[in-house]
Amino acid sequence: MTTILGVIGDPVTHSLSPVMQSAGIKSAGIDAVYKMFPVTPAQLADFVTEVRQNAYHGFNVTLPHKQRIAPYLDEIVPEAEAIGAVNTVLNRNGHLIGYNTDATGYLRSLTEEQQWQPEDKTITLLGAGGAARAIGYGLLQADIAQLYLVNRTADKAVAMAEELSRVTRHESRVKAMPWSQLPSCLSATDLLINATSVGLDGTRFDNLPLDTLQAGALVSDLVYTPRRTPLLAEADALAYTTHEGLGMLLYQGAEAFQIWFEKEADITAMRQALLGALGD
Ligand code: ATR
């Protein structure tokens, strides 16, 4: 019988997961289909019932369900619990398990695509939304030296620093900093990450002093539309190394694939599919 998987979201039509996962499934020769499931918050309970009745093998979770899905699951792995969001669900014989592959996916993207190791590094993370939190958690688990959290609304960075300190018990390694202190953070930074929505559709930061960033640093942007964001273009011009947002999308998907099928995903096939969908 054909295995059914998919992605739930509202809206979901923009999701690149179907194209990416279908390429991985095809390459592995697995008898499975990966669908798009438009599900509103009001339909979430019925969708989970449908998963159990029809034994869908699993699904990805996107906005606005990454936090709301938790009460409907039978188990949430500790990493997803600590991140406070679920992006992947596995149906193991009627037992629904929630995972979060964003942190692992992002770190794999850094190490495999950039050969960049997080140990003992100083990192500045811009943003305090769901993506920032997942990545902040992943980095703090990876023996970094220091994580500066910087957000336009300073209070949110402070709250996120407290929350990450609590769940990782690495209080000394995480610090919220006001935006005005960016020059002093950046001068000691090995990796600058944009986890804000700035860059989407070509938008720019108005007050990011990129020229204060330490020479030789890596600039990483989670935004992947466009692939080369204004931030990455500016970083290029200033001779910093750059890391595109496509990487996190790809590797979080590869990690989900591995959870469902218990085999390594074909990264090359999945990347090609994403590049094709993005018109590259
Ligand atoms: P996610 O998709 O990761 O869940 P989100 O919750 O939509 O993210 O949050 C978007 C992030 O982009 C926030 O950190 C937001 O900053 P505020 O908390 O101050 O709103 C940030 N952001 C959006 N527009 C921005 C801008 N023009 N300059 C700086 N940060 C911006």
Side-chain angles (χ1 to χ4, degrees), residues 120-124 140 144-148 172-175:
D120 300 320
K121 298 292 196 328
T122 295
I123 297 154
T124 297
L140 284 166
I144 59 160
Q146 184 71 53
L147 178 64
Y148 294 123
S172 60
R173 293 190 196 157
V174 54
K175 203 162 185 236

Side-chain angles (χ1 to χ4, degrees), residues 58-269:
F59 55 97
N60 281 127
V61 184
T62 187
L63 297 178
H65 305 307
K66 285 182 152 194
Q67 291 175 322
R68 301 170 203 261
I69 191 75
Y72 300 99
L73 305 177
D74 301 303
E75 181 182 341
I76 295 176
V77 300
E79 183 173 19
E81 192 79 64
I83 291 170
V86 165
N87 78 337
T88 302
V89 175
L90 169 68
N91 180 1
R92 185 178 283 156
N93 305 320
H95 183 79
L96 302 187
I97 310 170
Y99 296 82
N100 190 308
T101 64
D102 285 337
T104 327
Y106 180 73
L107 284 167
R108 247 188 95 184
S109 169
L110 274 184
T111 52
E112 293 186 24
E113 296 180 307
Q114 302 287 332
Q115 288 73 50
W116 195 93
Q117 303 300 332
E119 290 81 14
D120 300 320
K121 298 292 196 328
T122 295
I123 297 154
T124 297
L125 177 57
L126 303 176
R133 184 177 160 146
I135 286 176
Y137 173 81
L139 290 167
L140 284 166
Q141 297 294 78
D143 275 340
I144 59 160
Q146 184 71 53
L147 178 64
Y148 294 123
L149 300 179
V150 183
N151 192 51
R152 178 179 60 182
T153 309
D155 291 356
K156 288 199 214 165
V158 172
M160 193 167 100
E162 281 169 7
E163 191 55 23
L164 286 177
S165 300
R166 189 179 66 77
V167 295
T168 65
R169 302 198 186 126
H170 287 313
E171 194 177 344
S172 60
R173 293 190 196 157
V174 54
K175 203 162 185 236
M177 298 291 277
W179 200 280
S180 58
Q181 292 295 305
L182 264 178
S184 62
C185 296
L186 293 180
S187 64
T189 287
D190 301 296
L191 169 64
L192 169 66
I193 307 166
N194 174 35
T196 75
S197 49
V198 179
L200 272 175
D201 303 320
T203 52
R204 298 168 178 274
F205 287 99
D206 10 277
N207 53 350
L208 181 64
L210 199 61
D211 56 350
T212 60
L213 181 62
Q214 183 173 211
L218 176 62
V219 177
S220 175
D221 202 332
L222 300 198
V223 173
Y224 54 82
T225 48
R227 270 181 71 198
R228 301 303 294 173
T229 59
L231 173 65
L232 294 184
E234 190 186 349
D236 260 341
L238 292 167
Y240 297 111
T241 315
T242 59
H243 175 229
E244 292 180 355
L246 197 77
M248 175 169 164
L249 174 67
L250 174 62
Y251 282 91
Q252 63 78 31
E255 291 288 307
F257 184 100
Q258 202 162 338
I259 288 166
W260 296 320
F261 301 117
E262 294 177 359
K263 59 165 81 171
E264 285 269 344
D266 182 343
I267 294 287
T268 309

Side-chain angles (χ1 to χ4, degrees), residues 5-7 12-28 32-37 60 224 246 249-250 252-254 257 260 265-280:
L5 299 120
V7 53
V12 75
T13 45
H14 65 280
S15 173
L16 292 170
S17 292
V19 94
M20 168 170 64
Q21 295 295 350
S22 299
I25 288 166
K26 186 172 172 208
S27 165
V33 289
Y34 187 100
K35 299 182 174 184
M36 221 172 242
F37 297 119
N60 281 127
Y224 54 82
L246 197 77
L249 174 67
L250 174 62
Q252 63 78 31
F257 184 100
W260 296 320
D266 182 343
I267 294 287
T268 309
M270 287 167 77
R271 186 195 306 277
Q272 222 88 65
L274 282 179
L275 291 174
L278 289 168
D280 230 289

